Amino acid sequence: MARRRGLRRLTVLVLALALVAGGVYSAVFFLQRSETLVSERCRAVIGERTSELAPDQAVNASLITAVAVQRGLPPRAASIALATAMQESKLRNIDHGDKAGPDSRGLFQQRPSQGWGTEAQIMDPYYAANAFYDALVKVPGYESLEITDAAQRVQRSAYPTAYAQHEEMGRTFASGLTGQTPEAVRCTLRAPGTGGDTAALSAELSQAYGPLGTAVEGETLVVDAGGSQAWSVAQWAVANAKGFEVTQVDVAGRSWNREARDGWQASAATDGQVRITVAAEGTGS
């Protein structure tokens, strides 16, 4: 009789453990399934105007805009550049051209045969963006021209009015990414896949903006910046959050949190610095 009771207890224990294990598995499966259903996108929201880009497009938009900021150019220059790159390459660094320009390459579809540089140079997004701005600043009064007119004077496209369809996207993302409009850029992303790398993040940030005062506190990169530059850096970090596994950005009393997926919220972030936090090592979705 005692043996039977022991067997019954063991059976109940095994069943209970199986139910717990099944519940854990179901919870993990549910969370993983929920993540796959997240539609990843980045938006620039200014008043009632909203523009949307895929995360990889937003990365290139942030790079192009950061180069303008580093050069001290007005947000209008970034607006023109973004509209141009969207028309020419869909804001992707493509390694091929078309019938009109078979040797066209890169974000701006620049052509080695027309003196834009070597193919290797043009395929470097930083080189390509600087080459575009070098040409743009030579256009008299480009700041007051219509975006499509300014773009055409640089590109000499066979479709001179095509840039106009991307003007609103160029304006909204440029306004946010230059820091002219705080908390405009927000990205909806899945959970981080791995841990982040603050050293790699710092190196990319320095290439984008030039030398910045930075320090590392655990998984957080602290950047010395204030005013519009702080908001430019903060929104650059949001646009690059997917690739660098950024989980939170804090700046000037506001915070973007990857997990919350609801834009910018009030926080205790102080002025004068941007705090960019990446996923801890060993993190995985």
Side-chain angles (χ1 to χ4, degrees):
M1 182 68 69
R3 184 179 179 183
R4 289 179 181 174
R5 285 198 297 269
L7 287 173
R8 282 198 295 270
R9 289 171 182 168
L10 179 60
T11 301
V12 170
L13 178 60
V14 170
L15 289 172
L17 290 173
L19 288 171
V20 171
V24 171
Y25 174 81
S26 297
V28 171
F29 176 80
F30 176 76
L31 290 174
Q32 291 176 336
R33 176 63 174 166
S34 298
E35 286 299 316
T36 63
L37 294 176
V38 173
S39 177
E40 296 192 306
R41 64 192 186 280
C42 293
R43 294 176 295 150
V45 181
I46 300 177
E48 296 182 354
R49 294 182 298 155
T50 299
S51 297
E52 187 170 301
L53 294 174
D56 66 312
Q57 293 174 307
V59 168
N60 288 323
S62 72
L63 183 155
I64 291 169
T65 305
V67 171
V69 172
Q70 183 180 164
R71 293 175 61 129
L73 298 176
R76 183 70 168 181
S79 298
I80 297 166
L82 293 181
T84 302
M86 177 58 88
Q87 172 59 28
E88 298 292 353
S89 69
K90 300 300 180 188
L91 273 170
R92 294 187 167 104
N93 196 32
I94 55 179
D95 62 357
H96 58 83
D98 54 28
K99 292 181 180 179
D103 64 335
S104 299
R105 297 290 185 274
L107 289 171
F108 296 92
Q109 286 291 278
Q110 294 155 333
R111 302 178 63 183
S113 62
Q114 294 185 350
W116 284 100
T118 67
E119 182 175 332
Q121 287 175 322
I122 291 169
M123 286 300 296
D124 175 353
Y126 286 103
Y127 175 92
N130 274 297
F132 179 86
Y133 290 128
D134 286 345
L136 179 65
V137 297
K138 294 176 183 176
V139 176
Y142 76 87
E143 301 98 324
S144 59
L145 292 175
E146 290 293 329
I147 287 178
T148 191
D149 292 339
Q152 172 61 8
R153 295 196 189 189
V154 174
Q155 298 294 104
R156 305 294 182 185
S157 170
Y159 307 97
T161 61
Y163 305 105
Q165 62 188 310
H166 307 298
E167 287 186 0
E168 182 161 310
M169 181 282 301
R171 288 194 186 98
T172 52
F173 271 94
S175 187
L177 290 168
T178 59
Q180 185 179 44
T181 301
E183 59 188 277
V185 177
R186 65 280 306 266
C187 293
T188 300
L189 303 170
R190 300 184 185 109
T194 60
D197 184 341
T198 53
L201 176 63
S202 179
E204 187 68 26
L205 188 65
S206 294
Q207 188 170 12
Y209 288 92
L212 293 169
T214 61
V216 176
E217 297 178 4
E219 278 76 47
T220 299
L221 180 67
V222 182
V223 184
D224 293 331
S228 63
Q229 185 185 49
W231 274 106
S232 179
V233 169
Q235 294 181 93
W236 175 95
V238 172
N240 285 269
K242 181 177 174 64
F244 286 103
E245 306 293 9
V246 173
T247 58
Q248 186 161 316
V249 180
D250 298 288
V251 58
R254 305 295 288 175
S255 179
W256 172 86
N257 184 279
R258 182 174 183 149
E259 184 178 356
R261 296 172 181 154
D262 56 0
W264 293 87
Q265 302 298 320
S267 77
T270 60
D271 291 330
Q273 63 177 214
V274 182
R275 300 179 65 86
I276 307 170
T277 302
V278 302
E281 187 175 351
T283 300
S285 58

